[in-house]
Amino acid sequence: MADGERRGNAGSARREGEDRARTGRRPGRTRTRAQILESARQRFADLGYEQTTIRAVAEQAGVDPALVMHYFGSKEGLFQAAIDWPFDMDAAAAKIFEGDPDTVGERLVRQVCRVWEDEAMRHPLAAIVRNSLEREDVARLMSEFVAKEMVGRVVRRTGDPDSALRGALVHSALMGLAVSRYMVKIEPLASAPIEDVVREAGPVIQHYLSGAV
């Protein structure tokens, strides 16, 4: 190889390295993230959602716990990524719970419908639901996750001693709505306008939330 060609190749490699440094890219970043997710899936499957810790996942993946937090933000975020959860729970909760408390039920129904109407989110959600129905380990994980991160959000917003039961009823009703409308496609529910569904189902969810008739 001629000296000029070697110098040209060396210069190209140096420029590529400098470009990586400037853009913040690091070799192996995708591989490290995938390794963390694989460790998380194993931990969640073996120990369940509640007993799995960020530290334990990091130890199994051979990384610092701070790196797990950097990628996923929280255990909830890690679990959502591990099961390919298709939307941000915190953002959805903010839309639902910030506003008139007497219309939370309507906002919950509307948000559920909007999420399932989005084809990009509907397919992974449907896969998660099917897996939870067919596999006991997935069902157990989802049950723990729902109890803590979904129903828990409802429970934390009320001092009602029956709030845990109310939260579980809310989840079961919304899950039934989603499955009936978007997976089984029962008519006329499947083709009803969203606002019609909100008008009819919203008060039921509101009753579960608050006990109001």
Side-chain angles (χ1 to χ4, degrees):
M1 181 184 294
D3 289 344
E5 185 177 351
R6 280 196 294 270
R7 285 195 297 272
N9 290 341
S12 297
R14 185 171 59 255
R15 284 193 297 274
E16 184 178 345
E18 290 170 353
D19 288 343
R20 262 201 310 269
R22 283 195 298 269
T23 58
R25 289 178 291 157
R26 293 291 184 272
R29 178 177 179 178
T30 300
R31 184 170 62 250
T32 299
R33 189 178 188 278
Q35 188 174 342
I36 293 171
L37 284 175
E38 180 57 30
S39 297
R41 292 185 185 105
Q42 291 178 16
R43 285 284 175 170
F44 284 129
D46 291 342
L47 302 177
Y49 181 81
E50 188 68 31
Q51 296 301 315
T52 297
T53 65
I54 292 292
R55 183 174 297 279
V57 170
E59 182 178 349
Q60 181 166 327
V63 301
D64 191 281
L67 187 60
V68 180
M69 294 296 290
H70 170 73
Y71 281 132
F72 305 103
S74 64
K75 185 168 78 170
E76 177 193 337
L78 177 62
F79 182 79
Q80 290 178 12
I83 64 170
D84 197 25
W85 194 260
F87 65 93
D88 186 331
M89 288 271 296
D90 289 327
K95 291 180 182 178
I96 292 165
F97 291 107
E98 291 178 5
D100 185 353
D102 292 334
T103 55
V104 172
E106 293 180 5
R107 292 196 296 276
L108 264 169
V109 174
R110 186 177 291 109
Q111 182 68 13
V112 166
C113 287
R114 285 177 177 172
V115 166
W116 280 84
E117 291 284 334
D118 186 331
E119 188 172 338
M121 290 190 275
R122 182 168 67 250
H123 291 310
L125 279 172
I128 290 169
V129 171
R130 289 192 185 97
N131 281 334
S132 66
L133 293 174
E134 295 171 0
R135 292 181 51 185
E136 186 177 345
D137 57 338
V138 177
R140 177 172 57 88
L141 274 175
M142 284 304 300
S143 177
E144 290 185 27
F145 177 66
V146 165
K148 187 171 179 62
E149 303 297 347
M150 294 184 177
V151 174
R153 292 174 188 271
V154 176
V155 171
R156 288 191 291 271
R157 285 170 168 80
T158 174
D160 188 334
D162 294 325
S163 57
L165 175 59
R166 293 187 187 284
L169 287 168
V170 168
H171 177 260
S172 65
L174 293 175
M175 179 64 74
L177 169 63
V179 170
S180 298
R181 178 176 168 90
Y182 297 103
M183 295 179 67
V184 182
K185 297 184 179 180
I186 297 174
E187 292 292 358
L189 176 60
S191 57
I194 288 180
E195 289 307 312
D196 287 359
V197 177
V198 170
R199 185 182 65 248
E200 298 298 332
V204 177
I205 301 300
Q206 189 69 33
H207 168 69
Y208 286 152
L209 286 169
S210 64
V213 178

PDB file of all heavy atoms in Angstrom, residues 33 82 168:
ATOM      1  N   ARG A  33     -27.215  -1.783  25.829  1.00  0.00           N
ATOM      2  CA  ARG A  33     -28.640  -1.611  26.126  1.00  0.00           C
ATOM      3  C   ARG A  33     -29.374  -2.937  25.977  1.00  0.00           C
ATOM      4  O   ARG A  33     -30.217  -3.301  26.799  1.00  0.00           O
ATOM      5  CB  ARG A  33     -29.252  -0.554  25.209  1.00  0.00           C
ATOM      6  CG  ARG A  33     -30.680  -0.147  25.570  1.00  0.00           C
ATOM      7  CD  ARG A  33     -31.175   0.938  24.626  1.00  0.00           C
ATOM      8  NE  ARG A  33     -32.449   1.474  25.049  1.00  0.00           N
ATOM      9  CZ  ARG A  33     -33.626   0.900  24.798  1.00  0.00           C
ATOM     10  NH1 ARG A  33     -33.659  -0.246  24.119  1.00  0.00           N
ATOM     11  NH2 ARG A  33     -34.743   1.451  25.220  1.00  0.00           N
ATOM     12  N   ALA A  82     -38.593  -3.672  28.447  1.00  0.00           N
ATOM     13  CA  ALA A  82     -38.374  -5.119  28.389  1.00  0.00           C
ATOM     14  C   ALA A  82     -39.543  -5.844  27.722  1.00  0.00           C
ATOM     15  O   ALA A  82     -39.348  -6.858  27.056  1.00  0.00           O
ATOM     16  CB  ALA A  82     -38.144  -5.673  29.791  1.00  0.00           C
ATOM     17  N   ALA A 168     -58.615  -1.744  40.699  1.00  0.00           N
ATOM     18  CA  ALA A 168     -58.644  -3.009  39.966  1.00  0.00           C
ATOM     19  C   ALA A 168     -59.885  -3.105  39.078  1.00  0.00           C
ATOM     20  O   ALA A 168     -59.831  -3.627  37.956  1.00  0.00           O
ATOM     21  CB  ALA A 168     -58.604  -4.180  40.942  1.00  0.00           C
TER      22      ALA A 168
END
